[in-house]
Amino acid sequence: EVQLVESGGGLVQPGGSLRLSCAASGFTFSTYSLNWVRQAPGKGLEWVSYISSSSSIIYYADSVKGRFTISRDNAKNSLYLQMNSLRDEDTAVYYCARDSQFDRGVYYYYGLDVWGQGTTVTVSS
Amino acid sequence: DIQMTQSPSSLSASVGDRVTITCRASQGINNYLAWFQQKPGKAPKSLIYAASSLQSGVPSKFSGSGSGTDFTLTISSLQPEDFATYYCQQYNTYPITFGQGTRLEIK
């Protein structure tokens, strides 16, 4: 079964740090790009960051640039989000989502087709 | 950034109805448009990508159309499990952006 499972959320004080993880299974992780998407309580979806399959291309939303760092370990089938200098407005459910596949020189895109169940980050004093 | 505007923001309909949700981009995005369904407390579920391509396993009662700046999601013969919030999303340009959502409620 194709699956993404997030972990690492919790309660943190403003200015603190947290590292989220996303464990993948059921597909060839190293060939897929991935994203982090968040949703504040009662609000809509907000894209946070993107990383290509080889980590050569990385993008961030302006709201997190300079504070968050996305990374991946293809040997461990894992995606990460290091969050520093956390603010109240970073409070949200954080989802990892699968993106395009680049395999043997061919690019495939089926949208953000697989999502994890989410992990909750609460920034509060 | 490309702004995505959905209309309506909320919609009441009855079981068996056919409904249409509209999504407008602030600039042309070709057909790089996706639709998601989200139920309370759950992760979003991908319905459609490339404006009109149905995600594997999604019933054909869901259909998408459009190109450029104007797109629609149509759901035919509404069933109780279809009442949820729907989001459009553009992936033509980073940052990826989502519409504000359309809440579909039972009348």
Side-chain angles (χ1 to χ4, degrees), chain A residues 98-100 109-114, chain B residues 34 36 46 49 55 89 91:
Chain A
R98 192 174 77 169
D99 200 295
S100 57
Y109 190 77
Y110 302 107
L112 303 185
D113 62 342
V114 179
Chain B
F36 298 88
S46 176
Y49 63 97
Q55 197 63 257
Q89 172 237 332
Y91 52 95

Side-chain angles (χ1 to χ4, degrees), chain A residues 22-64:
Chain A
C22 172
S25 59
F27 64 98
T28 308
F29 180 80
S30 61
T31 64
Y32 282 87
S33 301
L34 296 153
N35 295 271
W36 286 100
V37 177
R38 68 184 181 184
Q39 187 169 36
K43 302 296 184 182
L45 300 169
E46 179 189 16
W47 171 79
V48 173
S49 186
Y50 163 93
I51 187 167
S52 64
S53 56
S54 64
S55 304
S56 60
I57 300 172
I58 287 175
Y59 299 117
Y60 296 100
D62 284 346
S63 57
V64 307

Side-chain angles (χ1 to χ4, degrees), chain B residues 17-69:
Chain B
D17 283 355
R18 178 176 180 267
V19 298
T20 296
I21 299 168
T22 297
C23 180
R24 174 164 288 175
S26 60
Q27 63 190 74
I29 59 170
N30 300 295
N31 70 333
Y32 297 131
L33 190 282
W35 290 97
F36 298 88
Q37 175 194 68
Q38 189 179 32
K39 296 180 180 179
K42 299 295 186 182
K45 174 186 175 182
S46 176
L47 298 175
I48 286 169
Y49 63 97
S52 60
S53 296
L54 206 60
Q55 197 63 257
S56 175
V58 173
S60 59
K61 63 189 301 181
F62 293 94
S63 63
S65 65
S67 185
T69 61

